[in-house]
Amino acid sequence: MRVNAEIRDLSYKKMIAPLILPIIIVPLLLLLFAAVGFGVPDLIPNRITIPVLIVGVVGYGVLTVWTGKKASSTYNSSWITEEFDFVAFDGKLLVNGKPMHTNVYKSKKKIYVHDLGDDGKPLVASFFATIMGEDFDKLFEYIEENGVKKERELLPKVTGRGSFAAAVSLSKYRRY
């Protein structure tokens, strides 16, 4: 069954790191300039230090807003809709010959197909797709006709540090 599914290109994280770096560096530079300006007034007089700091703080606000908008557009561009061939075999959906978990939410009209946790890492998936809209109806009918087992979505079982964030770990693979 060929349907469109939404997936996420996780390489977007490489584009966000350079955006965040100036937000960390600029305040440090402003603090350094203020320390030198107010600490050694003979080197940089207060009539120069104060206007430079005011311009720096206003510029930092503009930089923060611009960074937020750029990061948001980068995040939104990381979602891709592609066509995938799903094959029903032995009660499972297969993608490229690999068995997947199938979570169906009729009320949301969404089907999640993934291999989350299959490689021994409970928070990592090599494939995670969301099927919605008209494609939901087509794939749901295909699942029903071929007896594909619909699984309850179990949150990854993680213990120790970071276990509280197990539910949030799915947010990198799907939009809510």
Side-chain angles (χ1 to χ4, degrees):
M1 164 67 50
R2 192 173 203 62
V3 294
N4 288 323
E6 186 177 71
I7 60 170
R8 184 146 193 215
D9 177 15
L10 293 176
S11 67
Y12 81 97
K13 292 178 181 181
K14 294 176 187 171
M15 295 182 281
I16 287 184
L19 292 174
I20 295 173
L21 210 54
I23 290 181
I24 296 168
I25 292 174
V26 168
L28 294 176
L29 290 175
L30 286 174
L31 284 173
L32 178 66
F33 185 79
V36 170
F38 293 127
V40 187
D42 295 337
L43 184 62
I44 305 172
N46 284 349
R47 62 183 165 79
I48 294 174
T49 303
I50 293 172
V52 168
L53 289 177
I54 290 171
V55 169
V57 168
V58 170
Y60 182 71
V62 171
L63 175 70
T64 303
V65 169
W66 177 82
T67 301
K69 287 182 179 182
K70 188 73 173 165
S72 177
S73 69
T74 302
Y75 169 82
N76 289 333
S77 69
S78 70
W79 296 98
I80 304 166
T81 301
E82 290 185 7
E83 268 192 339
F84 292 97
D85 284 323
F86 294 101
V87 178
F89 179 75
D90 198 28
K92 287 259 191 199
L93 276 182
L94 305 176
V95 176
N96 298 330
K98 187 172 183 181
M100 297 287 152
H101 302 282
T102 307
N103 309 121
V104 177
Y105 294 93
K106 288 184 198 175
S107 60
K108 295 180 185 179
K109 291 196 72 153
K110 290 184 180 181
I111 299 174
Y112 300 117
V113 179
H114 60 88
D115 65 348
L116 190 68
D118 285 354
D119 294 331
K121 298 177 184 174
L123 304 176
V124 178
S126 64
F127 181 82
F128 200 112
T130 306
I131 297 89
M132 304 174 281
E134 293 176 19
D135 293 309
F136 167 85
D137 297 326
K138 291 191 317 190
L139 188 60
F140 183 71
E141 187 177 309
Y142 181 73
I143 287 171
E144 291 291 314
E145 288 174 0
N146 292 293
V148 172
K149 180 183 170 204
K150 297 177 282 276
E151 302 173 22
R152 279 190 50 180
E153 186 167 41
L154 299 174
L155 291 176
K157 300 224 185 306
V158 180
T159 58
R161 234 172 86 197
S163 62
F164 65 92
V168 179
S169 67
L170 294 178
S171 65
K172 69 180 174 182
Y173 295 117
R174 66 182 187 203
R175 287 193 253 199
Y176 288 95

